[in-house]
C-alpha cells in the first residue's frame, strides 16, 4: 500500500490529547472479536471499526466518560483499564490484546494543508467498511477543490456518481458535510456536525487520467463524448446508458438513451461555437470535460453532471 508522505504537523495526539492514547490501535480477544479504535478530533471520542466473524460489522463511535472512566461503544459501557505497556485492555468483561499500532507518521489535516490533503485524496483509491461497497475514487474536475466521487460495488460495477468539494476547511461529499477531515497512512477520517464519522481505508495509488475540456480542446472533447457509451447509475431503477453520435455533422447529432439493453428515447445534441454551450434535448450545459473514464457536463446553475464510460 502506498504511503502518503507529508510533514507531520503538531503533536501526535491529533485531538485525543486528554484521552488515553494507549487505547488507540487494533484490539482482539481470544474469541476472535476485533475492534480498531481510531483517534478522533475531540478529546475522549472517536471512530471505531468493529468486526464480527472476521467481517466488518460497522463504523461506530467510542466515548470515554472522564469522571467514571467508562468506555462506551454502541450499547456497551463499562470501566476500562489499559496495562502500563499498552498491550492489554480490560473492557466489557473481556481481555483484549493489542495486535497492531496505528501509524502516526505522515498524517495530514485538511484544515492545515489543503493541497497535500487533496493530493492524498485523489492520488489513492479508497474502500469503505461495508460489504456492499467496493472501490471509491475522488477525481478533480474544473478546479483543484472540486470533482466527482465515484463509488463501485464489490464486483466493481458502478454504484453511484456524486460530487465532492472543499471550502472553509470542510469536505462535502454529495449532500454530506464533514467539518474536520484528515488522511493517515491507513485511513481517511472525517466527522460531521452530529459527531458522526466517515472512515475510508486507503488502498493503492492511482492516476486521475488525462483531462480534455470543451473550451480548450473542442474537437478532442466532442470526439471522446461521441465515442463508446456513458453510464449514469439509477437510484431506484436500472442504470441508464447514453450514446452520443455525430449524425448531423461534427457539432450536432443524436443521443440514444438505453436501459437494460432497450432503447428508451432519443434526443438532439448540438454544440454552439457562438455561445460555447452544449445543448442536449431541452437542457443546456455551459461546459464539459473528460478526465480518465469520466465525462462531466456543467449545468447552468454550476452543478456537475457526471457519467462513467
Amino acid at each position: 500500500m502506498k504511503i502518503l508522505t507529508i510533514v507531520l504537523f503538531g503533536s501526535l495526539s491529533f485531538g485525543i490529547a486528554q484521552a488515553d492514547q494507549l487505547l488507540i490501535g487494533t484490539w482482539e480477544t481470544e474469541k476472535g472479536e476485533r475492534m480498531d479504535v481510531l483517534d478522533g478530533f475531540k478529546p475522549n471520542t472517536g471512530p471505531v471499526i468493529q468486526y464480527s466473524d472476521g467481517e466488518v460489522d460497522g463504523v461506530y463511535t467510542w466515548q470515554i466518560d472522564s469522571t467514571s472512566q467508562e468506555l462506551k461503544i454502541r450499547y456497551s459501557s463499562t470501566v476500562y483499564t489499559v496495562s502500563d505497556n499498552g498491550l492489554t485492555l480490560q473492557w466489557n468483561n473481556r481481555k483484549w490484546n493489542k495486535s497492531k499500532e496505528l501509524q502516526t507518521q505522515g498524517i495530514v489535516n485538511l484544515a492545515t494543508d489543503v493541497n497535500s490533503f487533496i493530493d492524498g485524496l485523489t492520488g489513492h483509491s479508497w474502500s469503505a467498511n461495508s460489504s456492499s461497497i467496493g472501490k471509491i475514487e475522488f477525481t478533480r474536475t474544473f478546479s483543484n477543490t472540486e470533482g466527482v466521487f465515484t463509488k463501485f460495488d464489490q464486483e466493481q460495477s458502478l454504484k453511484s456518481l456524486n460530487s465532492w468539494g472543499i471550502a472553509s476547511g470542510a469536505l462535502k461529499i454529495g449532500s454530506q458535510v464533514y467539518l474536520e477531515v484528515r488522511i493517515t497512512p491507513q485511513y481517511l477520517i472525517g466527522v460531521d456536525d452530529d459527531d458522526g464519522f466517515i472512515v475510508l481505508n486507503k488502498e493503492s495509488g492511482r492516476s486521475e487520467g488525462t483531462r480534455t475540456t470543451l473550451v480548450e480542446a473542442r474537437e478532442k472533447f466532442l470526439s471522446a463524448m461521441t465515442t463508446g457509451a456513458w453510464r449514469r447509475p439509477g437510484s431506484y431503477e436500472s442504470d441508464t446508458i447514453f450514446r452520443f453520435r455525430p449524425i448531423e455533422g461534427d457539432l450536432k447529432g443524436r443521443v440514444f438513451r438505453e436501459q437494460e439493453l432497450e432503447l428508451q428515447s432519443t434526443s438532439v445534441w448540438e454544440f454552439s461555437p457562438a455561445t460555447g454551450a452544449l445543448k442536449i434535448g431541452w437542457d443546456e450545459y455551459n461546459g464539459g470535460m473528460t478526465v480518465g473514464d469520466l465525462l462531466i457536463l456543467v449545468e447552468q446553475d454550476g452543478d456537475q453532471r457526471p457519467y462513467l464510460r
Side-chain angles (χ1 to χ4, degrees):
M1 183 179 296
K2 185 177 179 182
I3 303 290
L4 176 67
T5 304
I6 57 171
V7 177
L8 182 64
F9 289 90
S11 69
L12 298 180
S13 57
F14 288 99
I16 57 166
Q18 298 176 25
D20 192 338
Q21 295 184 43
L22 295 178
L23 187 63
I24 306 304
T26 295
W27 298 93
E28 298 184 63
T29 68
E30 292 183 352
K31 294 182 178 181
E33 298 168 295
R34 173 182 166 182
M35 60 181 180
D36 297 346
V37 181
L38 311 182
D39 50 337
F41 297 89
K42 298 177 182 179
N44 299 325
T45 186
V48 55
I49 306 171
Q50 287 193 315
Y51 297 77
S52 178
D53 297 325
E55 300 290 334
V56 174
D57 179 64
V59 177
Y60 306 104
T61 300
W62 62 265
Q63 294 176 312
I64 293 176
D65 187 318
S66 57
T67 301
S68 66
Q69 284 302 299
E70 287 192 0
L71 170 64
K72 181 179 180 180
I73 299 176
R74 300 185 73 191
Y75 308 112
S76 301
S77 182
T78 65
V79 173
Y80 81 98
T81 57
V82 181
S83 62
D84 291 339
N85 62 9
L87 298 180
T88 303
L89 166 69
Q90 295 287 343
W91 177 74
N92 200 26
N93 298 317
R94 294 170 177 81
K95 178 183 177 181
W96 302 76
N97 297 309
K98 181 173 285 187
S99 59
K100 185 171 65 175
E101 296 278 0
L102 294 182
Q103 299 181 51
T104 57
Q105 298 295 320
I107 296 176
V108 60
N109 285 282
L110 172 58
T112 56
D113 194 341
V114 175
N115 290 333
S116 293
F117 177 88
I118 293 174
D119 287 343
L121 183 72
T122 60
H124 295 84
S125 295
W126 302 87
S127 64
N129 294 285
S130 169
S131 59
S132 64
I133 301 174
K135 182 173 64 174
I136 293 171
E137 295 178 343
F138 294 83
T139 303
R140 285 172 283 201
T141 54
F142 294 92
S143 77
N144 193 50
T145 56
E146 64 176 349
V148 173
F149 172 80
T150 309
K151 185 188 297 183
F152 300 87
D153 62 20
Q154 292 286 356
E155 286 70 44
Q156 298 307 309
S157 296
L158 179 64
K159 189 174 180 69
S160 68
L161 284 170
N162 225 316
S163 61
W164 66 268
I166 289 173
S168 302
L171 172 65
K172 185 176 183 181
I173 303 175
S175 60
Q176 186 67 52
V177 178
Y178 298 97
L179 302 180
E180 295 183 87
V181 197
R182 72 166 67 99
I183 290 176
T184 78
Q186 297 157 300
Y187 303 104
L188 179 147
I189 304 172
V191 62
D192 61 24
D193 59 353
D194 290 325
D195 291 330
F197 289 94
I198 180 176
V199 178
L200 300 180
N201 306 303
K202 183 186 288 185
E203 303 294 344
S204 59
R206 64 177 284 261
S207 171
E208 295 176 87
T210 303
R211 285 173 171 74
T212 302
T213 66
L214 178 57
V215 173
E216 298 175 351
R218 183 185 75 193
E219 292 183 3
K220 189 175 181 180
F221 171 84
L222 292 177
S223 175
M225 186 185 78
T226 56
T227 301
W230 302 92
R231 181 184 299 270
R232 290 271 302 168
S235 299
Y236 302 102
E237 57 183 8
S238 301
D239 292 357
T240 303
I241 305 298
F242 297 83
R243 302 180 192 275
F244 298 87
R245 295 296 180 263
I247 294 174
E248 302 177 49
D250 293 338
L251 306 182
K252 185 177 181 180
R254 306 286 297 189
V255 55
F256 301 87
R257 188 173 68 87
E258 306 169 8
Q259 283 183 322
E260 297 183 331
L261 302 178
E262 292 186 2
L263 180 65
Q264 301 296 317
S265 66
T266 67
S267 56
V268 175
W269 70 265
E270 183 175 10
F271 174 73
S272 171
T275 64
L278 178 66
K279 190 173 183 180
I280 302 174
W282 298 102
D283 299 318
E284 191 168 295
Y285 300 92
N286 295 331
M289 167 187 285
T290 60
V291 50
D293 289 330
L294 291 169
L295 166 68
I296 305 99
L297 302 178
V298 182
E299 300 174 349
Q300 290 185 307
D301 60 2
D303 288 346
Q304 299 182 36
R305 182 176 176 82
Y307 303 75
L308 182 72
R309 189 179 290 283

